Amino acid sequence: MSIPMQWTPTHGDPYRPVPYRPARMPAAESLARAAELRERMDGRRTVRRFSPDPVPEQVVRDAIACAATAPSGAHQQPWTFVLVKDPAVRRRIRRAAEEEERISYDGRLGEEWLAALRPLGTDEVKPHLTDAPALIVVFQQRYWLGAGGERRKHYYVDESVGIAVGMLLSALHLSGLAALVHTPSPMRFLSEVLGRPVNEKAFAVIPVGYPAPDCEVPDLVRKSLDQVLVEI
């Protein structure tokens, strides 16, 4: 097995192109794959009730590796994925998240936001943070931080990390796992609990696992293709 090259900052390096010649997929195969992918992704649901059963750790690592192939501004790859399996750490995260959520649901969110959440059946209690066997806490790197303390700004950080999270959710679902994007606000406690450096800011907490045997999800309807697609 070949050893992959290690990434190093490319700031200021000259442009060095390499050939890219992927094999072209036959149209019939492309249509079949697209239809299958559309059907499989339509079955993806956000899960808040998880089984504590362990999941294959390599599946989660491979999903994170898929997410890390996402495009990013100036190819700066401004993300860190922290895989949290330790039950004690997950309990700390849950306690801190529920403290913030309690304040939010008691009025910080405002009635308009609470009304939008009502059909989802959510509240300040977050058992998924300890029931799921693993959490992926995604951090965005606001700037590159060198070993000597030097800094370089990252660009399009929100967009880049958002794309990576979307790819992560897709990879987890297509690998047979369930997930949830949880964004307690504010999330500063995550940097403290997980010991992250000053250039990183928490973006999302993603519990990962299998749905509980008695799992239920909201009865929702997705917008149809003609409601989201404009062709010109």
Side-chain angles (χ1 to χ4, degrees), residues 7 9-11 67-79 141-144 152-164:
W7 180 86
T10 57
H11 184 85
T69 69
S72 61
H75 192 56
Q76 292 169 325
Q77 305 164 83
W79 43 63
Q141 301 170 7
R142 305 307 300 178
Y143 52 89
W144 175 78
R152 293 197 186 101
K153 182 180 178 181
H154 282 165
Y155 299 92
Y156 298 103
V157 174
D158 292 342
E159 295 86 346
S160 301
V161 178
I163 294 169

Side-chain angles (χ1 to χ4, degrees), residues 45-46 48 117-121 215-222:
R45 294 301 303 264
T46 292
R48 292 181 171 84
L117 289 173
R118 204 159 287 133
L120 304 180
C215 180
E216 296 178 332
V217 295
D219 185 11
L220 302 178
V221 177
R222 291 189 172 99

Side-chain angles (χ1 to χ4, degrees), residues 134-146:
L135 304 178
I136 302 172
V137 185
V138 185
F139 287 85
Q140 49 182 201
Q141 301 170 7
R142 305 307 300 178
Y143 52 89
W144 175 78
L145 183 64

Side-chain angles (χ1 to χ4, degrees), residues 50-63:
F50 286 88
S51 165
D53 294 343
V55 298
E57 291 183 8
Q58 191 57 45
V59 172
V60 179
R61 293 191 190 99
D62 285 342

Side-chain angles (χ1 to χ4, degrees), residues 20-175:
Y20 180 63
R21 306 287 188 272
R24 180 175 295 187
M25 185 180 296
E29 183 180 354
S30 182
L31 285 165
R33 287 198 186 187
E36 179 189 10
L37 180 60
R38 177 177 178 177
E39 182 178 1
R40 292 186 65 187
M41 290 304 298
D42 192 49
R44 189 202 62 79
R45 294 301 303 264
T46 292
V47 167
R48 292 181 171 84
R49 297 170 68 175
F50 286 88
S51 165
D53 294 343
V55 298
E57 291 183 8
Q58 191 57 45
V59 172
V60 179
R61 293 191 190 99
D62 285 342
I64 292 172
C66 288
T69 69
S72 61
H75 192 56
Q76 292 169 325
Q77 305 164 83
W79 43 63
T80 301
F81 303 89
V82 180
L83 179 57
V84 184
K85 299 172 288 183
D86 188 320
V89 177
R90 288 188 282 120
R91 285 194 295 270
R92 285 185 65 193
I93 291 174
R94 178 177 175 178
R95 282 196 300 270
E98 288 183 338
E99 287 179 10
E100 295 294 348
E101 294 287 321
R102 195 169 294 110
I103 297 171
S104 294
Y105 278 89
D106 283 346
R108 182 166 59 187
L109 291 178
E111 179 51 37
E112 184 175 3
W113 184 216
L114 289 172
L117 289 173
R118 204 159 287 133
L120 304 180
T122 62
D123 57 27
E124 69 275 13
V125 182
K126 306 299 178 183
H128 47 264
L129 296 175
T130 48
D131 290 349
L135 304 178
I136 302 172
V137 185
V138 185
F139 287 85
Q140 49 182 201
Q141 301 170 7
R142 305 307 300 178
Y143 52 89
W144 175 78
L145 183 64
E150 62 271 32
R151 301 182 180 189
R152 293 197 186 101
K153 182 180 178 181
H154 282 165
Y155 299 92
Y156 298 103
V157 174
D158 292 342
E159 295 86 346
S160 301
V161 178
I163 294 169
V165 167
M167 292 178 63
L168 175 61
L169 295 175
S170 298
L172 290 169
H173 172 67
L174 294 174
S175 300

